[in-house]
Structure formats: C-alpha cells, structure tokens
Amino acid sequence: MFEALSGKLNGVFDRLRRRGALSEADVTEALREVRVALLEADVALPVVRDLVNKVRERAVGQEVIRSVSPAQQVIKIVNDALVEALGGGEGDDGKRGIDLNAPSPVPILMVGLQGSGKTTTSGKIALRLRTRDRKKVLLASLDVHRPAAQLQLQTLAQQAEVTSLPIIAGQSPMQIAMRAMDVARRELYDVVVLDTAGRLAIDEALMEEVAQVKLATNPHETLLVVDAMTGQDAVNTARAFQDKVGVTGIVMTRIDGDARGGAALSMRAVTGAPIKLLGAGEKLDALEDFHPDRIAGRILGMGDIVSLVEKAAANIDQAEAEKLAARIQKGQFTLEDYAQQLKQIGKMGSLQGILGMLPGVGKIKQQLNDANLDTSILGRQAAIISSMTPRERRSPEILKASRKKRIAAGSGTSVQEVNKLLKQFDDMSAMMKRMNKIGQKGLMRGGLAALLPGGGNKRPF
Ligand SMILES: Nc1nc2c(ncn2[C@@H]2O[C@H](COP(=O)(O)OP(=O)(O)OP(=O)(O)O)[C@@H](O)[C@H]2O)c(=O)[nH]1
Ligand SMILES: [Mg+2]
C-alpha cells in the first residue's frame, strides 16, 4: 500500500545521497520534499508537521558517524520518526497483536463502518487464534440488519474450523451477545468474537446499539475495522468511533489494494489507538501483525540501512575511523591498519551480513554467497598480522621465505596463507589508491561496489 510514498521518498534520498556532505540547506530541501510526499500519501497535516519537525531537530547537530554517509544518517532519522508516528518506539513492549490476557471466555468486539471487513476479519482472527494460539473460539454475528450477515459468518466459521453461535431468528443484537457469552462460559470457550452490523458513522442508532453491547459484554478488546482505501475518511471514522464507543485497537484492511498509506501513518496520532492487525486480502489467512518498524522499513525500502547505521554507530570507534581515513588519504595504509579493519569487521558481524544491509549490493551479496566466504579467515589473518614484528608490518616487502615460515608457525597458519594475506593486502592498497582517485564523493556515490576490483562486477575476494 505504500508504493507511491516509498517511491517518492526513495527519490528524495537518492538526490540526498548524491551530495556526499550535507549542508543545512540540503536537509531543508530534502525535508520539504518529504513533507510533500507525506501529504500526497494522505497523511494528516498535523502528523506531517510533527514528523518533519522531529526530523529537522534531530538531523541538525547530528554527530557524524564516519562509517556511514550523511544521507544514510538522515534516512535513519526519518525512519525513527516514521516508527514513532506508526505507534512504535518508546514504551513499545512489542505486544502488538490481540491481547487475550483476561479471564476466559475473552470477549472481542468487532466494530466499524459498512463493508470495512469486520466479518471477514472475525473469521481471520478465529482461524489465527485456533491454529496459532490453540484457542477454542466461538464466533457470533450480532448483525440483524443485513439478512445474509449471520449466514456469512457461519460460512467463515466453517472455513476456519471454529464454532459459530447457532442462529435464532428474531433475537436482538443484545440478546445474541448475552447468549454467546452464556454458551461460551458453559462450554468453556477461550475467546468469543462478536461481529456487529456495519454502520455509517453518522448512524446514531447503530452507534448506540454497539455502545450498549459493549457495556453489557465488557469486551477485553474492541477492535475497530477500517478500510485503508478510504484514506483520511478512515481516520475520521476512527476518531468518531473512539469518541462514541471507545476502541482498544485498530485493524486496517485492504492494505493489499493501492491505498496511499497515509491513514496508517495518521491513525495513532489522531486516535491514540494502536493499529494491531492488517488485512491483506480476502482469504482467511491474509492477516498480518502490525510492526511499526517493519512498516517504516517497507515505506523507506532502504534495505537495512537503518540497522547498518545502528550497528556502525554502536561499534565503530570514531577516532580510529578518522585516523584511518587520514592515513588512507596520504597513501599510508599499513598492515596494522588492515588488522584494525579486520577487528572492526569482526565486531560488526559477518561480512555477508554487513554487505547485505547496503542497498544496491544484492548482486555482490550473491557473489559472496557463491564464493562461500568463510569469515573465520578474518580471525586467522588477524593472527598472522599479530605474529609480525612492527617493522614487518610497516614494510611487508622485507618478508622473505624464512620470516614467512616464522610468522606461519607463530600464528598457527601456513606459508600459503601468509602469502595470500600479503597478496590481499597489496590488492587492498591498490584499491585504496583507486579510492583516493575516485575521491570521497565518488565513494559515497558508488557505495561499496566502487571499492571492489572491477567496480563490483568481479568476485570481490
Ligand atoms: N482485498 C481485500 N478485501 C477484503 C479484505 N477484508 C475484507 N475484504 C473484502 O471486503 C468485502 C466486505 O467484507 P466484510 O467482511 O463483509 O465487511 P463487513 O465490515 O463485515 O461488512 P458489513 O457487515 O456489511 O458492514 C468482502 O468482499 C471481503 O472479502 C482485505 O484485507 N483485503
Ligand atoms: Mg459484516
């Protein structure tokens, strides 16, 4: 559902990335475009304003992390703001789905506008609770306004292989609700899902009816089902239901359509209620948990830049990185520096993992997998380097056969491995020289691929 927004934001970040170092004007310009993209995606104005302001505050005066580009840092900041807008972040206990932490039978009341997907979602929830959570579920339709409604739920119950409350003609919604709770208590059901009639938000009588049912059954969850395709209207609906009935969570359906996604971004801020579930199709298994961080990731479509920045910020010693950058600039990259690099990489996890997080290196990643790169080799290489004397590390050209033998023995490796390391170091020095030629900006533009022999088209190792 976020394709358009995602495309726009990607465009903004692409332009940002091409800059290399970012001035405040660059950030301001980018934020203006982010703002327009959000508005076009139908995000509520106050939410847009709040989000953009947050990003600006945080982007200005950000400490620069050497190992990532400024643009990557901005992307991370935007990401965090999106996660917050979606209802994640601080105080997020990770519990997103339906809360069943109450005495059985736990009543769940489904409310929402006509055709929003209440009945379908009731079936989806029943299926999930039965299969995933091993719960005994009773489905009950309180919809006496549409003739076929109760039969529709009965059919869905059969598909989900759960029980539906026997239909008794002529009962009122309140009578059905009470009967459902009675049956559930007697027959020891874990959960009762009460599906209500669709209503127009302005339909006071129906609103009142659902409020009464809520009062009588005291549901542990009151889930408002909204159609993502209705955009801002979905947000207004949610506000109305929150005011008149009170809801504990929101289910957003039809995210499989081409909704612009703004409703999802506005919902938490406008209603205070969290989005708990997403409906992604007509089939009963098309139900997803709502993860703010994953949705933000989907919107930004940034591979895992965000976690890369987090990892880099946590692990890379900034002073070290700066010293190294200076030495590279002067063409003084030594085996000692190489050993340092190996250590950093070791800290950040596997090489494949790191490369996989960078956008645009999918191809290289495949090559890496093909090359079956063994990261334990990094540890052995570090051992080889530490078995050298300082002089040897500074001038590896003095390493003749006897020295190599000593180093191999000292590090528990072989002369071949020592040779391989030296060859790799030579290649790397050559690469560093190339990098100096490309210049810092080019490096940012080309990303990691520019560093690899053949610009990433060949096997990197
Ligand atoms: N594509 C898609 N269709 C959905 C989704 N959820 C529900 N639908 C479809 O939307 C239509 C209406 O769904 P219902 O579950 O009957 O909606 P309702 O809220 O119970 O409708 P009323 O009871 O009349 O108010 C059906 O054709 C469903 O198959 C979804 O997540 N994606
Ligand atoms: Mg229905």
Side-chain angles (χ1 to χ4, degrees), residues 115 117-120 141 143 146 149 152 195-198:
K118 294 176 296 298
T119 306
T120 310
S141 171
D143 188 347
R146 196 160 54 80
Q152 184 195 354
D195 178 29
T196 62

Side-chain angles (χ1 to χ4, degrees), residues 150-197:
Q150 300 195 41
L151 285 172
Q152 184 195 354
L153 189 70
Q154 197 174 61
T155 307
L156 289 172
Q158 278 159 9
Q159 284 170 21
E161 294 177 38
V162 303
T163 314
S164 61
L165 189 72
I167 298 169
I168 297 180
Q171 283 201 321
S172 73
M174 185 67 90
Q175 285 170 324
I176 300 174
M178 299 325 285
R179 183 159 58 91
M181 294 313 294
D182 275 348
V183 169
R185 267 188 292 269
R186 229 176 320 125
E187 299 178 16
L188 304 176
Y189 280 89
D190 298 309
V191 181
V192 185
V193 180
L194 303 167
D195 178 29
T196 62

Side-chain angles (χ1 to χ4, degrees), residues 113-120 124 143 146 152 198 253-254 256 279-282:
L113 291 191
Q114 255 162 42
S116 59
K118 294 176 296 298
T119 306
T120 310
K124 289 176 178 177
D143 188 347
R146 196 160 54 80
Q152 184 195 354
T253 62
R254 294 207 184 82
D256 49 313
E282 301 198 16

Side-chain angles (χ1 to χ4, degrees), residues 77-325:
I77 294 169
V78 172
N79 174 80
D80 291 352
L82 281 177
V83 172
E84 278 169 39
L86 288 163
E90 274 167 68
D92 182 9
D93 57 3
K95 274 207 203 141
R96 297 254 136 225
I98 300 167
D99 181 4
L100 294 179
N101 195 8
S104 300
V106 182
I108 299 176
L109 184 63
M110 309 295 290
V111 301
L113 291 191
Q114 255 162 42
S116 59
K118 294 176 296 298
T119 306
T120 310
T121 306
S122 300
K124 289 176 178 177
I125 289 175
L127 175 67
R128 167 185 285 207
L129 292 181
R130 177 180 71 79
T131 55
R132 203 183 72 179
D133 302 301
R134 311 246 164 258
K135 298 291 183 195
K136 190 175 169 192
V137 183
L138 180 66
L139 281 176
S141 171
L142 279 50
D143 188 347
V144 296
H145 297 268
R146 196 160 54 80
Q150 300 195 41
L151 285 172
Q152 184 195 354
L153 189 70
Q154 197 174 61
T155 307
L156 289 172
Q158 278 159 9
Q159 284 170 21
E161 294 177 38
V162 303
T163 314
S164 61
L165 189 72
I167 298 169
I168 297 180
Q171 283 201 321
S172 73
M174 185 67 90
Q175 285 170 324
I176 300 174
M178 299 325 285
R179 183 159 58 91
M181 294 313 294
D182 275 348
V183 169
R185 267 188 292 269
R186 229 176 320 125
E187 299 178 16
L188 304 176
Y189 280 89
D190 298 309
V191 181
V192 185
V193 180
L194 303 167
D195 178 29
T196 62
R199 58 208 65 239
L200 299 164
I202 45 162
D203 189 332
E204 291 291 340
L206 277 169
M207 275 296 199
E208 186 54 35
E209 177 187 293
V210 82
Q212 291 297 333
V213 168
K214 189 182 172 208
L215 211 64
T217 56
N218 189 24
H220 190 58
E221 289 269 26
T222 303
L223 299 178
L224 172 67
V225 181
V226 294
D227 177 354
M229 301 292 288
T230 59
Q232 276 303 298
D233 283 343
V235 181
N236 296 331
T237 304
R239 193 193 281 131
F241 270 94
Q242 185 64 298
D243 290 350
K244 299 226 167 80
V245 182
V247 302
T248 56
I250 291 164
V251 181
M252 195 167 262
T253 62
R254 294 207 184 82
I255 66 150
D256 49 313
D258 58 356
R260 285 179 288 174
L265 276 161
S266 308
M267 210 50 100
R268 181 60 184 262
V270 175
T271 69
I275 299 177
K276 294 204 162 188
L277 296 164
L278 298 174
E282 301 198 16
K283 293 224 186 84
L284 282 190
D285 60 358
L287 186 69
E288 297 177 11
D289 281 322
F290 184 78
H291 295 284
D293 48 346
R294 284 190 217 158
I295 298 286
R298 225 191 269 177
I299 294 173
L300 293 177
M302 285 297 154
D304 259 328
I305 276 206
V306 173
S307 37
L308 174 70
V309 175
E310 275 162 7
K311 275 194 173 183
N315 291 321
I316 296 284
D317 181 330
Q318 189 175 337
E320 276 304 319
E322 274 171 22
K323 262 194 266 165
L324 176 67

Side-chain angles (χ1 to χ4, degrees), residues 389-425:
T389 64
R391 186 162 156 249
E392 287 168 344
R393 276 178 225 150
R394 276 192 306 273
S395 322
E397 61 280 0
I398 64 171
L399 288 174
K400 296 290 172 305
S402 64
R403 285 180 191 260
K404 284 180 190 168
K405 244 188 246 159
R406 192 206 78 234
I407 292 165
S411 57
T413 59
S414 63
V415 172
Q416 285 98 306
E417 271 185 282
V418 176
N419 282 331
K420 206 164 143 205
L421 166 79
L422 291 172
K423 166 82 172 62
Q424 209 161 309
F425 174 70

